[in-house]
Amino acid sequence: MAELTNIRSPRVKAARRLAKRAFRDRDRAFLAEGPQAVREALAVEGVTVELFATADAEVRHADIVAAAVARGIPVHRSSGEVMTELTQTVTPQGLLAVCRFVHVPLPEAVPPGARLVAVLAHVRDPGNAGTVLRTADAAGADAVVFTDASVDPYNGKCVRASAGSLFHLPVATGAPVPDAVRHARQAGLRVLAADGTATRTLDEVDLSGPTAWLFGNEAWGLPPELLELADEVVRVPIYGRAESLNLATAAAVCLYASARVQRQSLYPVEHPPTPAS
Amino acid sequence: MAELTNIRSPRVKAARRLAKRAFRDRDRAFLAEGPQAVREALAVEGVTVELFATADAEVRHADIVAAAVARGIPVHRSSGEVMTELTQTVTPQGLLAVCRFVHVPLPEAVPPGARLVAVLAHVRDPGNAGTVLRTADAAGADAVVFTDASVDPYNGKCVRASAGSLFHLPVATGAPVPDAVRHARQAGLRVLAADGTATRTLDEVDLSGPTAWLFGNEAWGLPPELLELADEVVRVPIYGRAESLNLATAAAVCLYASARVQRQSLYPVEHPPTPAS
């Protein structure tokens, strides 16, 4: 196999420019870096367009490369220099996929019957957004909605922080917050806004029903006009002296609280025995 | 007040080098950037050595500067260039404090009677460590222990991620993991190791008693020899398809689960009324 060594070759340039949102939107494609993301991308039919791999990575991740080949996906052996040009991490792991957009329309992401949804309202930091996506996946959420004015879910840092979860659960993108809230409510979900200034805490609200969590911007939270859209505003209790929690942490506590209560009410279990100690 | 404009002046150089751990350890001092951290530092007697402030910040944060002056702490008016030299953030907010080390010996951080402690075992990423510190503070933890081979809690990024919590609760640093575990147990805490491969989940263990949570490195977790030290190994349940949670997220779910159960058992409350909907 001929190795790609020229960082100015059309193939490399075409992939490289997907680091910019304007080109992603034009090509409806994005980059997924590293073995974990590439493996998850390959697991979804029709998502992976092509794969770039260093000779080293072809050996180290032979299973992944074989899976790509088996699916008829072109694998371009690439020099270290080309890989460095294409990736954004300090220590690229030698694997990079060009992927087609995976988001779906809002009604498909949040159908009637959905039980747990995270709505990112004007969340700008890609690391935060990707971490919430990963956490929502872990908590068994049905979907994550990136509203308009939120970070692009295909931003490289967001894709990396999602650790493959971008390929696991439906993601909708671009809806204005009021539309996302209206739609969630029509789909039968109660809309809870997470906000540090709320009167009621997470422990004081009923979380057993289908719930859409609304999380605001990392710096300024949810402004009054967005808080008003929610059925209830809820805060994570602060038991110590911290002024607040960061967005991804607050979202984790909220989403896991919902998941726990929803599962308890679906499958009631005996309280575990108390250890003898 | 004369303005500091020379980035090569001894005062600026002495503060600047505190960005490096070796100089922090020598001077037993570190830098706290931004209004929130500086405010929290000033609230602790004897911690703040000196303050650097731009003319802008002196106006914008007049209350903070006044508090420093009232405590007899030198305030150095600094040019924008000096502030940029001293701070590590892209948009420095014009305030920076030189602070004395705040950590305490392990027995003082974790005395008998402590109910909730986070132990960071070989956690290397300063952002993760600072976020866990902030979360532990929010969850009402009694202390956070940074074991040996963990990131320096005075690392600039860790201080920033802690959002002032470094000044809120006792932090111990440098103990080998076995010593920290032994000490926690002697202080009456049950030691739970958080690990994604555990058999039992958070929902299946009794969290009502005094608990020390052991959190491992962000990349490789807790190796077998450290898992063996714990009384029990517990995982955050993964309800969806995510392979794992990131360290700070897992820690948030664990610490809040403990806080909730401990408070329920201390102050049993009626189940909140279910909304009419």
Side-chain angles (χ1 to χ4, degrees), chain A residues 22-114:
Chain A
F23 287 107
R24 289 197 294 268
D25 286 344
R26 210 189 70 168
D27 295 351
R28 301 187 64 75
F30 67 103
L31 302 174
E33 280 181 30
Q36 187 185 28
V38 172
R39 191 180 285 118
E40 302 302 309
L42 286 169
V44 189
E45 180 77 29
V47 161
T48 311
V49 178
E50 59 184 352
L51 194 63
F52 294 83
T54 59
D56 266 10
E58 281 186 14
V59 175
R60 233 177 319 130
H61 304 292
D63 57 325
I64 298 178
V65 174
V69 171
R71 282 164 184 71
I73 294 161
V75 179
H76 312 300
R77 182 177 293 171
S78 307
S79 69
E81 197 191 359
V82 163
M83 191 53 65
T84 303
E85 175 71 10
L86 288 175
T87 55
Q88 302 182 303
T89 39
V90 181
T91 50
Q93 293 175 276
L95 272 183
L96 177 118
V98 173
C99 300
R100 291 191 185 88
F101 276 5
V102 294
H103 66 269
V104 296
L106 186 57
E108 192 178 318
V110 186

Side-chain angles (χ1 to χ4, degrees), chain A residues 134 137-138 237 239 241-242 244 256, chain B residues 134 137-138 237 239 241 244 256:
Chain A
R134 179 179 179 183
D137 179 16
Y239 300 119
R241 294 174 56 208
S244 63
Y256 262 91
Chain B
R134 179 178 179 183
D137 180 16
Y239 299 120
R241 294 175 55 210
S244 64
Y256 262 92

Side-chain angles (χ1 to χ4, degrees), chain B residues 29-109:
Chain B
F30 67 103
L31 302 174
E33 280 182 30
Q36 186 186 29
V38 171
R39 192 179 284 118
E40 303 301 310
L42 286 168
V44 189
E45 180 78 30
V47 161
T48 311
V49 177
E50 59 184 353
L51 194 63
F52 294 83
T54 59
D56 267 10
E58 281 185 13
V59 176
R60 236 179 315 131
H61 304 292
D63 57 324
I64 298 177
V65 174
V69 171
R71 282 163 183 72
I73 294 161
V75 179
H76 312 300
R77 182 178 293 170
S78 306
S79 68
E81 197 191 359
V82 163
M83 190 54 64
T84 302
E85 175 71 10
L86 288 175
T87 54
Q88 302 182 302
T89 38
V90 182
T91 51
Q93 294 175 276
L95 272 184
L96 177 119
V98 173
C99 300
R100 291 190 185 87
F101 276 6
V102 294
H103 65 270
V104 296
L106 187 56
E108 192 178 317

Side-chain angles (χ1 to χ4, degrees), chain A residues 36 39-40 43 131 134-135 137-140 165 167-169 190 200 203-206 232 236-246 248-249 252-253 256 259-260 263 271-275 277, chain B residues 36 39-40 43 131 134-135 137-140 165 167-169 190 200 203-206 208 236-246 248-249 252-253 256 259-260 263 271-275 277:
Chain A
Q36 187 185 28
R39 191 180 285 118
E40 302 302 309
T131 302
R134 179 179 179 183
T135 307
D137 179 16
S165 291
F167 302 106
H168 287 164
L169 76 173
R190 193 153 159 260
R200 297 183 82 186
D203 302 335
E204 294 164 344
V205 295
D206 178 29
E232 187 148 14
V236 175
I238 303 284
Y239 300 119
R241 294 174 56 208
E243 205 180 90
S244 63
L245 289 166
N246 80 13
T249 304
V253 176
Y256 262 91
R260 186 178 51 79
R263 267 145 222 272
H271 194 276
T274 305
S277 75
Chain B
Q36 186 186 29
R39 192 179 284 118
E40 303 301 310
T131 301
R134 179 178 179 183
T135 307
D137 180 16
S165 291
F167 302 106
H168 287 166
L169 74 173
R190 192 154 159 260
R200 298 183 81 185
D203 301 336
E204 295 165 343
V205 295
D206 178 30
S208 60
V236 175
I238 303 285
Y239 299 120
R241 294 175 55 210
E243 202 181 274
S244 64
L245 288 166
N246 80 13
T249 304
V253 176
Y256 262 92
R260 186 177 51 78
R263 268 146 222 272
H271 194 274
T274 305
S277 75

Side-chain angles (χ1 to χ4, degrees), chain A residues 106-266:
Chain A
L106 186 57
E108 192 178 318
V110 186
R115 294 189 54 81
L116 185 57
V117 171
V119 180
L120 300 179
H122 307 169
V123 170
R124 297 281 170 84
D125 180 78
N128 276 333
T131 302
V132 175
L133 183 47
R134 179 179 179 183
T135 307
D137 179 16
D142 296 284
V144 174
V145 179
F146 286 64
T147 69
D148 66 344
S150 286
V151 67
D152 181 10
Y154 304 116
N155 171 296
K157 203 172 165 190
C158 182
V159 175
R160 284 195 299 281
S162 89
S165 291
L166 177 59
F167 302 106
H168 287 164
L169 76 173
V171 168
T173 174
V177 181
D179 293 2
V181 167
R182 194 178 315 116
H183 178 80
R185 199 173 283 130
Q186 282 168 359
L189 296 120
R190 193 153 159 260
V191 179
L192 299 184
D195 185 86
T197 67
T199 312
R200 297 183 82 186
T201 73
L202 207 51
D203 302 335
E204 294 164 344
V205 295
D206 178 29
L207 296 174
S208 60
T211 301
W213 278 102
L214 194 56
F215 302 116
N217 176 276
E218 40 276 280
W220 62 79
L222 291 162
E225 66 272 21
L226 295 187
L227 287 175
E228 271 175 21
L229 299 172
D231 295 308
E232 187 148 14
V233 183
V234 182
R235 67 182 168 86
V236 175
I238 303 284
Y239 300 119
R241 294 174 56 208
E243 205 180 90
S244 63
L245 289 166
N246 80 13
L247 165 65
T249 304
V253 176
C254 292
L255 290 167
Y256 262 91
S258 280
R260 186 178 51 79
V261 173
Q262 288 188 356
R263 267 145 222 272
Q264 278 177 349
S265 41
L266 286 172

